[in-house]
Amino acid sequence: RVAIPTNIGATTPEEAIENEQKVMLLKLTSQDSSDRTILGGLERAALAQRSHGATAESHALWKRQGFDDLSSGAMQWKFLLRQLKGSCTIWEGGSSLDETSLFAKSRLISSLLRKRKNTGDSKDDKSITIAGTNETVKRWKLDLTEGYERQRRRMLPNYEFHGLYNIDENADNVEYVDEVGLKVNQEGVTGDDNNEGALDVSDEVQHPVDGRSSALDMEVTADLLKKMKLEKIVDDEEDDLENMEDEDNDYAAAADDALNTHTTFSVEDQSARANELESKKAQNVEDTDKINESDTGEREAEAEESDKTNISASSYDLITGLLKAGDWPEKSYNVNRCTGLEVRKALLLWCRNAIYVVDGFEQTDGEGLKGKINRLKKVTTSFQVNIRQHGAQNSDATEKTKSKEKVTESTEEEITYQHRSQRIAFGDLYSVYRRRYQLQQNALEFYDVHRNGTLIAFSNNVEREEVLSKVLATPLPSSIFSSSVLGGATSINYKKFMNNLRAKITSQWVHGKMSNFDFIMHMNSFAGRTYNDLTQYPVFPWVLADYDSEELDLNDPSVYRDFSKPMGGQNEKRAAQFRERYEALEQSYEFGDGPPPFHYGTHYSCAAYVLYYLMRLEPFSRLALSLQGGKFDVADRLFHNIGSSWSSASSENLQDVRELIPEFFYLPDFLVNSNMFDFGTTQLGKTVHDLTLPRWAKGDPKRFIRIHRQALESDHVSRHLHQWLDLVFGFKQRGKEAVAALNTFVHVTYEGQVDLESITDPVERESIIAQIQNFGQTPSRLERKPFPPRVVLSAFKERGLDFNALASLAALTPPFCVVGAPHRVYLRVLAVDTCKVGMAGQMDSSVGDLCHVKGQLLGVGRTCALILPSKKYYRFGGPNNGVSVHVSMTSARYREVNKVLSAHDGMHRGPISVAKPSLNGLWLVTGCVDSTVRVWKYNGQNMQLQATLCGHDGGKITCLDISTTFGSIVTGGSDGKILVWDLRTLTFLRTLHHPASAQNSVHDGSAKSPVKSVSINHKNGNFVTLLHSTVCVFDINGNLIAKQDPGFNFEGNEVPSCAIATDCPEWMESGIVAVAGHMNGDVSLWSIDYDTELLVLRHILPERVHSCPITALRVSGDRQDTLLIGDKSGKMSACETVKLEQLNASELESLMVEMQMGDD
């Protein structure tokens, strides 16, 4: 027998290859034709080459994916760390964990703080044990996104404050009171080291040319203008006008040339990618907010490694990790991103579905996507500032001197890196505007649907027009340029579109359909003014001239400034001096010795003036410090008294003709020194802290802002505002009319008067730019003829009632107030109906939502929510843990009501308890029985999850609301908590502290009442809440504005069952701000008494249509004069504000008597 060997098995790869080669060799040798042998060799060579290429491409693809993962992972990890600090569940919100648990919030935070302080002081634990609030947030900053009327109202947590000013967060003795007021812990003692902090300011912030001298005192002189040797772009005003007429054709031609020369660049050679693996690992991508590095050694190592990276980096793999999956740059541009005074070099990447702006990179040594990408260093400088102690009196002069010396000695520079990647999807683009940058027409400003503005300056005008043309040629469904707005037009002429839009807006203002504030903001935008450039900040007029009276009568013309004259002409004595200056300069100019004549050596708007007003408010405080060389200006020159500033600008100071900024009419936060900066003491011994307000403001910043806005919207201002518009934006801006109106400034401040391209010396060019920006920039001229005056009408006249005036008065009448008699509120039932849509499967007949469509009252069931733009509705609460979309109203496309259009299952881990779509139908917010909230985007077909929000302490979500105007989400739960979230960043903001919750917790220890209703005012961001039986109103920053009068103790079936907010702005004091439905079917309307901070019951519907609990309310109508009501039985009603035409003679006579008494 033959023994079977034990090593028999499958052949090895080497043996298999050898055997296969032998077989192939036998086949080849068996062929008779030598031609076949040669042909086979060629085929094998080609196959080997293709195989090698495929392998190399596969390897390069994997390496690129690895680079993407590394870059994207680093960015997402740091973003996650930032979210954890601001997340409700980790740092700021309530946790359902037991406080005795090892992982309880208080234990985690106290443990972290002990590690940071290396001490075991038990006081730290006690100060952070309260859950469900934002005690860890001590500092706040202004949110730079814009809301209704382009107002920026919201304050965000300023987590960078302590790192920015080098203040120990644990030792910070400032306790949270509210978002506009901070107090100092009287028990703590703060030493000199804690009072002084370091401020990191980028060297890219534009500094004044005169060093530490005050930018406010810088005035242009004839000698200074001679030294500048500036050349005009246009020779005279007539040529300027002709060029303005033809600029659109030039821009279009430039764009066409750029597009014709555009080439598609291929991807970098794959073999070059293999040498870049080590360079990719050195890239440290940071998110939008600045994260200070603490280890100097790591910075130096990173800088050294970055230098190596710049040598080897030669493709766009360096930044592909910052792009969304599926996006790939087709073309890139070197640009500057401008935010206030901070300017960062960046790359603008054009992709198929979006554009990206990536900070901190620059393309050199090559064209297109084959260029070399350099990572730019960012030099930062540290300055010392003092934090003011609460109740501190005048400081010792010696200590101040020491502090100043320490500031000088401790200044140092360091190298950091910051890369921010911003994606602007074309589907989310709202608008794009041409802008000037450094007096050149080379910038664009993009706004997304969240009204977040991004100002981008290009290298030249050709690149700007190329990008603008490509953007306008792209489908923009959410923009003002969408086809629905343009009536189906396929091409967009930018200048023609903007001119038509401006004419439409002007017509609306003239006929009383737009507020004065909104119109001025529109004119600023059309003239190139923007929040994103402090040198071209929106300009507003001084309105009042009386800052000394105890009370202010807005019907008295003497309390207002003269709108026909600029600030330099308000005082005749000072105006004569300005005329003499102009005549002297005119004579010198005629003899060829001097610049063109001007009245004022300063301007009414510049970066220094903006920061002068906003120095108390972050992030403008650090910009003010950087502009002044690291320290705040002398106390006497700071903005400390509004009356003194008016006197200086109107009569006392020849170098001061400044106007105001928009914040004076809507933002009380900038008047308060909430960050406790030490601004010093004036020569008269007054400590500069909060702004000193006029007597008629009664020491209340909110009252000042409210009355100031009422003055702007008064009849007197409405009649004369067009005269001021002529001076700033109109025909009196230049030429003979400007000379006659005493309204000429230094010629270099006007558009088209400086040709920077002719200056070849870069040092001289930068110096001239810095000087011009300090002078200020005059807005672009919008009209060459007078602005039309606004039509101001009154319904009641001496002879009787003018019914023709009611149409003009309706738009600006407060919600639910009678047009022509805004002090009266009266509603009448318009229609009654029964809800039938969406009722299938409900255990009761409760109405969940309703709307008014073409005069028809439409309602849906309790577990439904209407999608207003599309005439559909969501149905939720089913066992599928999701929602379904149904037809709510028949149309040409959908013939069957309640038809299921789509179903979306598994949206939560439990049944959905409440759902609320946004007014535009693009967002959906859902609340679950497991206390989670989820935010979705709905595009008509797909439901895309954006975020899961966690913060409620167990129980179901009972109510919620969403506002895309101010980017806010508010949620209420059965735990009694009311939380506010940021829709833009999908993060937690703050908790609303309802007074009813405090009352319930003090009593018999019973469980907290569930929140019944939350609602958002879409014009100012205020919140209306209903908890237990108390209705409250909070502002957008969580401050309690008004609560229900304690005298209204609703009991039994009189208790409110739901409440909603109207869109009444705070300056309309007579308007209805909240509507409440009650258990007995009553409906009450409430306004605010701002003096007592109480809600005032203005009206209860006299007609008792409903007799069971009200379950749904909605305010409808263009001017919010219609109230829709639904109850538990399924009955619906529509009530409308009474019109004067509907009143009888006796009722009209009584109204006329009331109006006359009010005027008296």
Side-chain angles (χ1 to χ4, degrees), residues 965-986:
T965 306
F966 285 96
S968 299
I969 299 174
V970 58
T971 60
S974 58
D975 58 352
K977 278 188 176 182
I978 304 173
L979 306 181
V980 181
W981 313 81
D982 186 354
L983 176 63
R984 181 173 59 88
T985 60
L986 298 171

Side-chain angles (χ1 to χ4, degrees), residues 299 452 616 719:
R299 285 201 197 94
N452 183 25
R616 293 172 174 84
R719 292 188 181 96

Side-chain angles (χ1 to χ4, degrees), residues 261-307:
T261 58
H262 171 69
T263 58
T264 303
F265 297 95
S266 62
V267 181
E268 181 67 18
D269 183 22
Q270 304 296 340
S271 61
R273 303 181 192 267
N275 298 326
E276 298 173 10
L277 180 58
E278 294 299 324
S279 65
K280 302 302 182 297
K281 296 180 181 179
Q283 300 305 317
N284 181 17
V285 182
E286 298 186 4
D287 65 345
T288 302
D289 297 320
K290 182 177 179 180
I291 302 177
N292 290 314
E293 303 288 342
S294 60
D295 191 340
T296 306
E298 291 181 1
R299 285 201 197 94
E300 295 175 353
E302 184 181 6
E304 182 180 354
E305 196 70 25
S306 177
D307 294 337

Side-chain angles (χ1 to χ4, degrees), residues 40-56:
L42 294 176
E43 290 179 351
R44 289 194 304 276
L47 179 60
Q49 186 177 3
R50 288 197 300 270
S51 300
H52 181 271
T55 303

